[in-house]
Amino acid sequence: QTRLPGEETYVELRTPEQIWEAIRELKVRGAPAIGVTAAYGIYVCCRRAGGSCFDDLCETFDRTAAYLASSRPTAVNLSAALERMRNCLLAHRDEPAAGIWDRLRDEAEAIRREDAAACRQIGEYGLSLLEPGAGILTHCNAGHLATSEYGTALAPLYLGQERGYGFRVYADETRPLLQGARLTSYELMRAGIDVTLICDNMASLVMSEGRVQAVLVGCDRIAANGDAANKIGTSGVAVLARHYGIPFYVLGPTSTIDADCPTGASIPIEQRDPAEVTEAHYAQRMAPRNVKVYNPAFDVTPCDLITAMRCAHGAFRAGQGDKMRLRVPGRDSRVVSAGAVCRGSGRARRKMRVRLVGRKIVVILTRLTLKNIELWKFWTIDPPRTPPSAILGSSPSLRSCRSGNGC
């Protein structure tokens, strides 16, 4: 993707070094696409390494996975895909090597298919937030180039184009690597979508002129409290959107949720080559030599600046303060407390703890099961006037919470 829009080139990756470089140097980019690449990549690398002893295969897998994971630390999809592939490896340890190769290939393909389906669903939910003819501002690139299909933040735009919504899109150029200029404008123009390229520092003026009715951005990692890491400059757009009263929506697959990361402050921020600021995309160097350069690849948007998050299972809307509620069209949701919503099977719900601590309600997710449960925020909540017994319900596990025994 570094050659777009001037040249469309496909590369074949066969070795760990080639895959690492492709991810690190942004030949492939976008959190979902990185995860899919890592899944296919670990399969290719392990199969090429050969061997019939499971211990040797496992050693090769772990060494290669650790190396690939070091390419870009911020996007959680990378490590999540590698962990899922390792679980697949361990689950089939008693099979012959040829069978293990097949299982790894099937798992990588499943990751790709699930991402494509999730992007389509994100697009459907995201489209429900938008009015025909709306002006949309987006930052970086979260389209089909960053995923398996459709994209995340751009998925509603593609579906809207198919259905005659007539959106007007303003694409931030996204310094310093110009993903908005090179990639977003490129793919939206190819789709026939009305797109206008603007410099990052023009966003405030465009908003003040009433040209923008919503902001759509993707995400690379979402912390447990709802803070979202995305391409550098995203948090500034969120501040502007709040100032002008414009909804700011974050769209991403559930694979970007990091339940082990409590807040945005815990998200590792990748630092990149200073030359990307001083030289990249210029005919000649545009800054004094030896000037100090700070080049973080991402920033974190605080949850209280996010109007709603959209994933493949529904919308997480901001309520009072920084609390969020889950709204899933056509599905039931069970309110656990004033600021947290849980949905899914009983088995998944038993992985939660809801505890009274003094006059506070604490909702804790002990393990994230993405297909069964979505809980994006963990809070300590002042209980409403409703009696705690009415909030905590009557299930045995929740009764034990009321008695102070946990669950």
Side-chain angles (χ1 to χ4, degrees):
Q1 295 187 28
T2 56
R3 297 188 179 186
L4 291 173
E7 179 184 355
E8 188 172 296
T9 303
Y10 293 85
V11 295
E12 294 185 0
L13 309 175
R14 295 185 174 88
T15 69
E17 293 76 19
Q18 289 174 337
I19 297 166
W20 188 94
E21 187 209 15
I23 295 173
R24 178 66 185 178
E25 300 302 321
L26 308 182
K27 295 178 181 179
V28 58
R29 45 149 299 282
I34 288 173
V36 172
T37 300
Y40 280 121
I42 195 74
Y43 155 69
V44 169
C45 292
C46 288
R47 182 151 194 164
R48 285 174 59 85
S52 58
C53 172
F54 179 81
D55 289 340
D56 291 343
L57 173 59
C58 199
E59 180 183 352
T60 299
F61 184 101
D62 289 343
R63 182 177 64 254
T64 305
Y67 176 63
L68 295 181
S70 69
S71 58
R72 300 199 69 189
T74 301
V76 71
N77 303 63
L78 174 59
S79 57
L82 293 171
E83 181 179 0
R84 179 168 164 178
M85 294 292 286
R86 190 176 195 278
N87 290 338
C88 176
L89 172 71
L90 296 177
H92 299 281
R93 64 187 307 155
D94 295 330
E95 296 188 23
I100 294 177
W101 307 141
D102 291 341
R103 300 293 84 76
L104 289 176
R105 183 192 60 216
D106 292 346
E107 191 70 10
E109 181 62 20
I111 292 173
R112 186 200 63 79
R113 288 197 308 269
E114 291 168 14
D115 178 62
C119 288
R120 172 78 188 210
Q121 199 61 56
I122 290 168
E124 294 285 358
Y125 287 138
L127 189 61
S128 69
L129 297 167
L130 308 174
E131 297 292 332
I136 310 298
L137 187 140
T138 188
H139 191 78
C140 195
N141 173 259
H144 69 79
L145 291 171
T147 65
S148 299
E149 191 175 353
Y150 280 104
T152 54
L154 299 190
L157 306 183
Y158 283 119
L159 294 181
Q161 179 70 4
E162 294 174 3
R163 299 169 191 179
Y165 271 56
F167 292 131
R168 297 169 290 104
V169 182
Y170 294 89
D172 280 351
E173 63 173 350
T174 316
R175 286 278 297 148
L177 293 180
L178 306 177
Q179 290 94 332
R182 295 187 301 105
L183 306 178
T184 296
S185 59
Y186 166 76
E187 63 172 89
L188 292 184
M189 287 182 66
R190 283 171 60 106
I193 296 173
D194 181 354
V195 58
T196 301
L197 178 64
I198 62 172
C199 297
D200 295 350
N201 54 10
M202 298 175 184
S204 178
L205 177 62
V206 171
M207 290 182 182
S208 70
E209 292 176 338
R211 299 174 184 265
V212 177
Q213 282 70 57
V215 176
L216 303 181
V217 299
C219 53
D220 288 80
R221 185 180 299 214
I222 298 170
N225 74 329
D227 294 345
N230 193 49
K231 184 54 56 186
I232 189 70
T234 302
S235 64
V237 175
V239 171
L240 291 173
R242 172 61 58 86
H243 176 75
Y244 290 109
I246 297 170
F248 182 90
Y249 299 119
V250 174
L251 295 86
T254 50
S255 57
T256 58
I257 306 168
D258 187 352
D260 296 325
C261 183
T263 70
S266 301
I267 297 176
I269 301 298
E270 176 187 356
Q271 300 292 325
R272 296 189 59 83
D273 187 348
E276 293 178 348
V277 176
T278 60
E279 299 172 38
H281 306 297
Y282 293 122
Q284 61 183 25
R285 183 182 177 90
M286 297 299 290
R289 295 196 178 278
N290 301 322
V291 66
K292 292 188 292 184
V293 176
Y294 180 51
N295 186 23
F298 303 92
D299 58 24
V300 176
T301 300
C303 56
D304 58 355
L305 292 179
I306 299 171
T307 306
M309 292 181 176
R310 281 282 181 179
C311 72
H313 300 286
F316 301 81
R317 282 191 173 275
Q320 295 180 350
D322 66 348
K323 301 170 185 175
M324 285 201 175
R325 290 180 175 274
L326 173 64
R327 180 170 66 85
V328 183
R331 302 189 186 184
D332 293 331
S333 298
R334 182 172 68 88
V335 177
V336 177
S337 67
V341 175
C342 153
R343 62 173 290 274
S345 68
R347 179 176 64 84
R349 285 197 290 266
R350 285 197 295 273
K351 292 175 182 175
M352 295 182 62
R353 290 186 290 143
V354 183
R355 185 180 296 228
L356 286 176
V357 180
R359 292 187 54 77
K360 304 281 187 181
I361 300 171
V362 179
V363 182
I364 305 170
L365 183 64
T366 59
R367 180 181 175 189
L368 189 66
T369 305
L370 294 178
K371 291 185 178 179
N372 294 323
I373 184 172
E374 287 81 48
L375 179 66
W376 284 35
K377 287 227 167 194
F378 311 108
W379 306 278
T380 300
I381 303 164
D382 288 317
R385 295 182 181 180
T386 306
S389 59
I391 296 174
L392 295 178
S394 57
S395 69
S397 61
L398 295 183
R399 283 201 299 273
S400 68
C401 293
R402 293 202 299 274
S403 66
N405 296 326
C407 50

